[in-house]
Structure formats: structure tokens, C-alpha cells
Amino acid sequence: MTAPLSSDRSRAALRISARVSGEFLLVLAGLTVALWLLGRMWSVVWPLVVGLLLTTLTWPVARFLRRRGWPPALAASVVTVLFLLVAAGVVALIAVPVASQSGELTDGVVEGIQRLREWAAGPPLNIGDAQINQAFDSAVSRAQEGVGSMVGAVVTGVSTVVNGVVTAVLALFLMFFFLKDGPRFLPWLSRQLPGRLATDVPAVFARGWATLGSFVRSQAAVGLLDAVLIGLGLWILGIPLVLPLAVLTFVSAFVPIIGALFAGFVAVLIALVSNGLTDALIVLAIIVVVQQLEGNVFQPMIQSRGLGLHAAVVLLAVTLGGSLAGIVGSLLAVPIAALIAVVWNYVREQLVDPAEEAGTGEPDPGAAAPS
């Protein structure tokens, strides 16, 4: 016969469940308000995030100069100018060879379009010129009917470009001030906070800063790996503009999804207009394979080692971030997950009972090995 339930224990379990559920709902409400405020201030938060990421990329050079006795303002100015020169050099490295071969590329594009028309006119499609002209006329009429929406799309695109330029300028100014005054931030923050917060908050910020640096370095490693593999494939096939395409692949690795699609589209287009359809398909296959290896193997492995996250967590974070916030979510998903892990680990360290930790019997990793 089954023993009856204890009424006292049942009521206690219900009270505990109700209290935990209420506390959980309060935490969710707080997070909802915080995310709402973040969205309202996004025009300021986004340049701040970009400036922090740029600072983690350029801080080692500024730190080197400061340790050599350079004044902070001078070191920050030199590093900012060097960053702008490097960015301009990357753009020139991509644009100059493309511009020098623009005539050949234009002729190749025209020839490629003609080849596509000839291929479409043959079996199995058997699309004649009359059908192509009819489709073109239909597209023109639809475009004329949708002039209003097209104008709206153009205005939206111009607004996006302007916002991007403003964000870039603000991020550069913030990077300069972070490089100049960054080391004084944590001591200042510690003086502003009361009690234990004066120790805990700066400690969490310091760990978060190290985590952001690991993220940028791991992303650069992934981009370099992509650039080497794709550039090697292009070089073996004899595709022109190998170096600019490799540089474009490396730079675009810092922009999730769209960056890879754009770099891949440019590489396939150049292969099509210069070497023909067969090599273009081979280049497309190479890019697809490399991108799949990057997204599912290289990036989770490299970032999991640098950020202390499991590869599956990295992969799930990118997927969740992309589904919630698109490109920006994919870009920020991994560092946000790493920062959450930093806060969780620090809180867990503070909540561990020293007596229980000492009684676990685990060896101290800092202790010397017995001789």
C-alpha cells in the first residue's frame, strides 16, 4: 500500500515553489526593463560597444608605448592614427587592384551575362530572347509601379549608411578616450562605489575586459584561417585578385553572416568573369566548405578555448543571437555569453563557503608537486 503524502511537507514544497517562482518572475521583469532601456539607448550603446571592441584590438600597441614612457594622450593619438592608416591601407589594398583591372572585369561581366543567356537558351531551359525581353519588360513595369517603395528603400539605405558613418566616427573618438584614460577608469569606479561593491564591480569589469580581448583575438584567428584557406583555393585555380580577396575575407570575418556572404559573392563573381562557370562553381564549393568548417568547427573550438566556453555553447549563442537580433545579435552573442559566464563564475566564487571548499580534498593547483 502506498504511503499517504505528508500535508506539512506538501505545503512547505508549495511555499518554496511559489517563492522561487515569484523571485524568478521578478528577475525576468528586471531583465525585461533592462533590455527595454538598452533598446531606447541603442544609438549610444552601439558606438560604445564598437569602440570597446576596437580598443581591445589596439590596446596592446598603446600599452607598449605607455610602458616605454610615452604620455597617455600621445600614445592614444599615435595608435588612433596608425589604426586609421591601417584601415585605409586595407581599403587601398582591395580597391586599387580592382580599379586597375576594372576594364577587364567589366568585359568579363558582359561576357558572363552573354554566356548565361546562351546557356539559358539551350536545353533543358530553352529560354529564348523573346522570353528574356518579356521578363525584362515585366520587371521594368513592376519597378515603375513600385517607385514609391523603391524611394523608401533608397531613403532607408541612405539613412543606414549615415548612421553607420556616425557610429564609426563616434566609435573612433571613444576608442581614443578609452586608450587615453582607460587604465584610470577602474580606480575611479572603485572610489565611487560603497562597501563591497568597490571591490566586486571593478574585479568583474577587469575580467570582462580580458574576455573581450580574447574574443577579438579569436575572431581575428578565425578570419585569418578563412583568408588563408580561401586564398589558397583561389591561387590554385588561378583566380585574379587573390590578395585583395583574401584581405576582404579576413576583414569580413568580423561581420557575421553578411560579411561572409559578401566576400563569397565577390570571389565567385570574379571567378565567373575571369575563369568561367566551372571555376566559379569550384570557388563557390570551396567557400561553402570553408564557411561550414568555420561556423561549425573552427570558430566554436577557437572561441571556446579563448573565452572559456564550450564549443556547443558558442554555437548555440550565435544561433540564438541571430534569431533574436539579426546580424548585430550574431556579432554580440558570443561576447555577451562570455561576459555572462564571467559574472556567473565571479558570483559563484563569492558564494562558495571557504570551509566547504577546503574540505573537498581537491589538490591546490598552485601547490608544489611532491618531489
Side-chain angles (χ1 to χ4, degrees), residues 164-227:
V165 172
V166 172
T167 299
V169 173
L170 287 177
L172 285 174
F173 276 104
L174 290 173
M175 182 188 76
F176 168 77
F177 288 116
F178 290 154
L179 292 174
K180 174 178 173 291
D181 300 322
R184 296 189 297 180
F185 173 72
L186 290 183
W188 173 85
L189 183 62
S190 179
R191 292 193 299 269
Q192 309 308 312
L193 296 174
R196 185 170 177 176
L197 291 177
T199 301
D200 293 339
V201 174
V204 173
F205 271 70
R207 295 189 185 187
W209 172 257
T211 299
L212 286 179
S214 298
F215 167 73
V216 172
R217 288 190 294 271
S218 61
Q219 197 70 20
V222 171
L224 181 61
L225 190 60
D226 284 353

Side-chain angles (χ1 to χ4, degrees), residues 89-98 101 223-224 226-236 238-252 263 266-267 270:
V90 169
V91 173
L93 191 61
I94 296 174
V96 171
V98 173
Q101 300 186 25
L224 181 61
D226 284 353
V228 170
L229 294 178
I230 294 177
L232 184 61
L234 297 176
W235 176 73
I236 292 175
I239 307 298
L241 304 175
V242 173
L243 183 58
L245 290 175
V247 174
L248 179 63
T249 302
F250 173 76
V251 174
S252 64
V266 172
I270 292 177

Side-chain angles (χ1 to χ4, degrees), residues 89-349:
V90 169
V91 173
L93 191 61
I94 296 174
V96 171
V98 173
S100 64
Q101 300 186 25
S102 59
E104 298 178 8
L105 291 176
T106 302
D107 295 339
V109 169
V110 174
E111 183 181 354
I113 294 174
Q114 183 61 31
R115 289 182 182 178
L116 287 176
R117 293 187 63 178
E118 294 175 356
W119 174 75
L125 298 180
N126 296 320
I127 300 176
D129 291 339
Q131 293 173 295
I132 294 176
N133 293 332
Q134 182 180 0
F136 179 76
D137 294 337
S138 176
V140 170
S141 63
R142 289 184 180 179
Q144 291 174 347
E145 294 173 358
V147 169
S149 60
M150 291 175 61
V151 171
V154 171
V155 171
T156 303
V158 172
S159 176
T160 302
V161 171
V162 172
N163 290 334
V165 172
V166 172
T167 299
V169 173
L170 287 177
L172 285 174
F173 276 104
L174 290 173
M175 182 188 76
F176 168 77
F177 288 116
F178 290 154
L179 292 174
K180 174 178 173 291
D181 300 322
R184 296 189 297 180
F185 173 72
L186 290 183
W188 173 85
L189 183 62
S190 179
R191 292 193 299 269
Q192 309 308 312
L193 296 174
R196 185 170 177 176
L197 291 177
T199 301
D200 293 339
V201 174
V204 173
F205 271 70
R207 295 189 185 187
W209 172 257
T211 299
L212 286 179
S214 298
F215 167 73
V216 172
R217 288 190 294 271
S218 61
Q219 197 70 20
V222 171
L224 181 61
L225 190 60
D226 284 353
V228 170
L229 294 178
I230 294 177
L232 184 61
L234 297 176
W235 176 73
I236 292 175
L237 292 173
I239 307 298
L241 304 175
V242 173
L243 183 58
L245 290 175
V247 174
L248 179 63
T249 302
F250 173 76
V251 174
S252 64
F254 290 90
V255 182
I257 303 175
I258 293 297
L261 290 176
F262 175 73
F265 172 77
V266 172
V268 172
L269 179 62
I270 292 177
L272 175 64
V273 301
S274 61
N275 289 33
L277 182 60
T278 302
D279 284 353
L281 293 176
I282 296 175
V283 169
L284 178 62
I286 292 173
I287 292 174
V288 169
V289 170
V290 171
Q291 293 298 332
Q292 290 299 314
L293 288 175
E294 177 221 323
N296 298 303
V297 180
F298 298 144
Q299 187 175 26
M301 289 178 59
I302 294 175
Q303 289 187 343
S304 64
R305 293 179 180 178
L307 302 179
L309 297 175
H310 194 275
V313 175
V314 174
L315 186 60
L316 292 175
V318 173
T319 304
L320 179 61
S323 63
L324 293 178
I327 300 172
V328 175
S330 298
L331 175 63
L332 300 180
V334 176
I336 288 176
L339 292 177
I340 291 174
V342 166
V343 175
W344 169 255
N345 290 330
Y346 185 83
V347 171
R348 189 176 183 278
E349 290 175 6

